[in-house]
């Protein structure tokens, strides 16, 4: 079997395909023939060594789906031949987050999904319905669950709410789909009019080009008749947080998810957050029970993840480069 590894390359990392033997299963483990994986900005952060993570020798990517080809002793949650996806945090099944879960995050601390075969504990996988392709299922573990958690279990989204979504990447497009399906109206920002048009076709009620309208928070305020939005899907980080706070309704929520503008300190005043009696929730994916809840929602609504482009396994480096270019709308997938 083949897998991809992060390998040192100057001050960052490169990608290398190697052959590896198939180890024997231990009790409670499941062998999965991986059929598709997907990229998240987190994977680019690891490749470019932007956060100083020691990923040399680690298999990349938290997100992937495939079929069970063998089960270990005592496994009861899945059977051979069933379609499954891995959970981002292998130990987070339910309940509040614990820092110890960082010791088992796929594609970071432990080997991820960019391989022809992986072995995971049965508690760290989720059954996937036949209505979703392997490529679609591979988009769910990080971006899909992050957006779902931000809006539902952490956000308490109610019908009639207004959601501001920054950009048109994976998390943002999942948030657009989930929010509209749950009865909210969605405002989307982007620097591309073409992408904004596509967002409108997916249900966005209002769009803002932040290049031609740099004071996009003022436009959000105007559009909402000076009341602001109930939720912000904040994937930018320090460079956009101030405008996100300015866009927020009294009692609203900012789901702080990404660092697309970098890891530096924000210069935003937090007083407007206090004055609005609003809150910021740090969102880092979610537990397995929320993953299963999200899958049930997808089945009920017959929704499909937005996939921009699919690369072959041998094109893994090209897939990373394409994501880094920022051209994508939705998810970038690698088929295995």
């Amino acid at each position: 079997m083949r897998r991809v590894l992060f390998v040192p390359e100057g001050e960052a990392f490169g990608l290398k395909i190697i052959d590896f033997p198939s180890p024997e299963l231990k009790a409670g483990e499941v062998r999965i023939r991986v059929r598709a994986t997907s990229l998240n900005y987190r994977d680019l952060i690891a490749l470019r060594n932007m956060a100083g993570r020691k990923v040399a020798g680690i298999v990349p990517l938290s997100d992937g789906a495939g079929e069970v080809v063998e089960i270990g002793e005592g496994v009861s949650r899945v059977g051979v031949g069933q379609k499954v996806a891995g959970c981002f945090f292998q130990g987070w099944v339910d309940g509040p987050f614990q820092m110890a879960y960082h010791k088992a995050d796929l594609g970071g601390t432990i080997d991820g999904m960019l391989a022809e075969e992986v072995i995971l504990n049965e508690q760290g996988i989720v059954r996937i319905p036949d209505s979703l392709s392997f490529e679609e299922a591979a988009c769910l573990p990080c971006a899909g669950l992050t957006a779902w958690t931000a809006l539902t279990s952490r956000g308490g989204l109610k019908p009639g709410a207004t959601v501001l979504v920054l950009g048109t990447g994976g998390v943002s497009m999942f948030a657009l789909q989930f929010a509209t399906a749950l009865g909210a109206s969605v405002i989307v920002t982007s620097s591309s009019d073409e992408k904004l048009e596509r967002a409108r076709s997916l249900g966005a009620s209002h769009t803002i080009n932040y290049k031609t309208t740099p004071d996009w928070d003022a436009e959000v305020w105007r559009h909402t008749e000076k009341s602001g939005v109930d939720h912000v899907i904040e994937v930018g980080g320090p460079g956009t947080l101030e405008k996100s706070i300015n866009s927020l309704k009294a009692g609203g929520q900012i789901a702080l998810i990404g660092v697309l503008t970098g890891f530096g300190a924000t210069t935003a005043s937090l007083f407007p957050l206090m004055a609005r009696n609003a809150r910021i929730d740090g969102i880092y994916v979610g537990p397995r029970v929320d993953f299963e809840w999200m899958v049930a929602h997808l089945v009920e609504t017959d929704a499909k993840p937005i996939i921009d482009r699919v690369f072959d396994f041998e094109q893994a480096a090209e897939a990373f480069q394409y994501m880094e270019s920022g051209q994508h709308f939705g998810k970038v997938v690698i088929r295995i």
Side-chain angles (χ1 to χ4, degrees):
M1 290 290 182
R2 296 178 301 166
R3 61 182 176 180
V4 174
L5 298 182
F6 283 123
V7 293
E9 194 172 274
E11 296 183 357
F13 298 95
L15 301 172
K16 183 179 181 179
I17 298 176
I18 67 165
D19 289 313
F20 74 105
S22 298
E24 293 186 5
L25 288 183
K26 299 177 183 177
E29 291 183 337
V30 174
R31 192 185 310 276
I32 301 166
R33 171 67 173 94
V34 184
R35 295 297 184 183
T37 60
S38 77
L39 277 70
N40 297 285
Y41 188 68
R42 163 193 188 254
D43 304 311
L44 190 60
I45 289 173
L47 183 73
R48 298 305 181 209
N49 197 22
M50 290 186 276
R53 296 200 72 174
K54 298 177 181 179
V55 296
I58 293 290
V59 177
L61 306 190
S62 60
D63 291 16
E67 71 246 5
V68 176
V69 294
E70 184 184 358
I71 60 174
E73 181 182 353
V75 170
S76 60
R77 294 190 63 246
V78 296
V80 172
Q82 292 178 336
K83 185 186 295 186
V84 297
C87 296
F88 183 104
F89 288 112
Q90 284 290 286
W92 192 8
V93 174
D94 196 4
F97 185 73
Q98 300 177 29
M99 293 303 289
Y101 296 151
H102 284 293
K103 296 178 181 179
D105 60 317
L106 294 178
T109 306
I110 62 175
D111 286 337
M113 300 295 291
L114 192 51
E116 292 178 329
E117 176 186 294
V118 299
I119 293 176
L120 300 177
N121 188 278
E122 68 165 330
Q123 299 300 326
I125 57 179
V126 168
R127 292 271 303 274
I128 298 298
D130 290 337
S131 58
L132 292 173
S133 69
F134 287 117
E135 290 79 9
E136 290 164 342
C139 299
L140 301 177
C142 181
L145 184 53
T146 295
W148 179 257
T149 303
L151 293 171
T152 58
S153 58
R154 296 288 295 278
L157 180 72
K158 297 179 180 179
T162 303
V163 179
L164 172 62
V165 169
L166 304 188
T168 56
V171 172
S172 297
M173 290 301 93
F174 270 116
L176 169 60
Q177 290 177 282
F178 290 147
T180 53
L182 294 171
S185 60
V186 182
I187 302 170
V188 177
T189 69
S190 173
S191 62
S192 165
D193 287 335
E194 180 183 354
K195 290 182 178 181
L196 291 175
E197 183 177 350
R198 292 184 65 186
R200 287 192 293 272
S201 72
L202 292 171
S205 60
H206 188 63
T207 57
I208 305 170
N209 186 315
Y210 63 78
K211 277 196 173 180
T212 58
T213 308
D215 294 329
W216 49 265
D217 50 341
E219 171 58 18
V220 170
W221 199 246
R222 183 201 65 78
H223 178 72
T224 58
E225 298 180 347
K226 299 183 179 181
S227 65
V229 299
D230 298 281
H231 302 269
V232 180
I233 302 301
E234 170 52 81
V235 297
T240 53
L241 182 59
E242 181 174 16
K243 292 184 184 298
S244 290
I245 294 174
N246 291 342
S247 303
L248 198 61
K249 180 183 290 187
Q253 176 229 20
I254 293 177
L256 187 61
I257 294 166
V259 288
L260 295 178
T261 61
F263 291 87
T266 179
T267 59
S269 169
L270 298 181
F271 178 77
L273 190 73
M274 180 182 68
R276 286 168 166 79
N277 271 283
R279 74 182 194 272
I280 297 179
D281 287 321
I283 307 292
Y284 201 175
V285 200
R288 192 192 77 202
V289 293
D290 280 10
F291 194 160
E292 293 165 333
W293 179 23
M294 175 186 66
V295 170
H297 166 82
L298 290 169
V299 171
E300 181 182 353
T301 59
D302 197 30
K304 305 290 186 182
I306 305 301
I307 297 175
D308 180 279
R309 187 171 170 186
V310 179
F311 291 82
D312 291 329
F313 182 70
E314 294 78 12
Q315 299 175 302
E318 295 176 44
F320 274 82
Q321 291 168 2
Y322 181 67
M323 184 173 189
E324 189 171 24
S325 74
Q327 299 177 51
H328 60 290
F329 181 95
K331 294 291 290 180
V332 177
V333 170
I334 298 174
R335 181 184 292 123
I336 304 178

